Amino acid sequence: MTDSWQTVARLADHLEDHSTLPRAQRVLLQLLKIQEEAGEVAEAVIGAMGQNPRKGHSHTWQDVEAEVCDVIVTGMVALTRMNPDAPAVFARHLERIAARDLHEAEAATQ
């Protein structure tokens, strides 16, 4: 897991090094990038299901997986650009979600 966050930090640094925009605009554009990537997931799902009459089966489920990975990486980069302590922020948030959702699931089975 640490290696993934190190790679994400390098990606975030690369983006920071190549932008002349003010910090607030850089972060905002990175957040908008998440939506752009999510749209590519939707396009890939539609293509994998052959539901675009013009394109037919234009994508595979492996394409969908790749697009989902792009969303995840883009979100990780966004969090890193917002907060240099992104791994800890994410870990705490994941723990809260797990405590809430897994606790509810366990209570429902009892």
Side-chain angles (χ1 to χ4, degrees), residues 4-105:
S4 296
W5 281 108
Q6 289 172 350
T7 301
V8 166
R10 289 177 49 222
L11 290 168
D13 288 345
H14 175 73
L15 291 170
E16 290 295 316
D17 291 344
H18 289 87
S19 179
T20 58
L21 296 173
R23 176 174 161 42
Q25 287 181 352
R26 293 191 311 264
V27 170
L28 177 60
L29 290 172
Q30 184 68 43
L31 293 171
L32 292 174
K33 184 72 175 165
I34 297 169
Q35 182 61 42
E36 178 186 356
E37 296 294 345
E40 292 177 15
V41 171
E43 180 181 9
V45 169
I46 290 167
M49 297 183 73
Q51 293 303 301
N52 183 329
R54 286 186 305 106
K55 297 180 182 179
H57 287 275
S58 58
H59 292 77
T60 66
W61 287 104
Q62 289 77 23
D63 295 328
V64 175
E65 290 172 356
E67 295 299 345
V68 170
C69 288
D70 286 347
V71 172
I72 293 166
V73 170
T74 302
M76 291 172 75
V77 169
L79 185 58
T80 299
R81 292 179 87 183
M82 294 174 67
N83 186 332
D85 198 24
V89 170
F90 181 77
R92 285 191 303 270
H93 189 74
L94 185 59
E95 287 173 13
R96 283 193 298 272
I97 290 171
R100 177 194 69 207
D101 294 349
L102 297 178
H103 176 70
E104 289 176 8

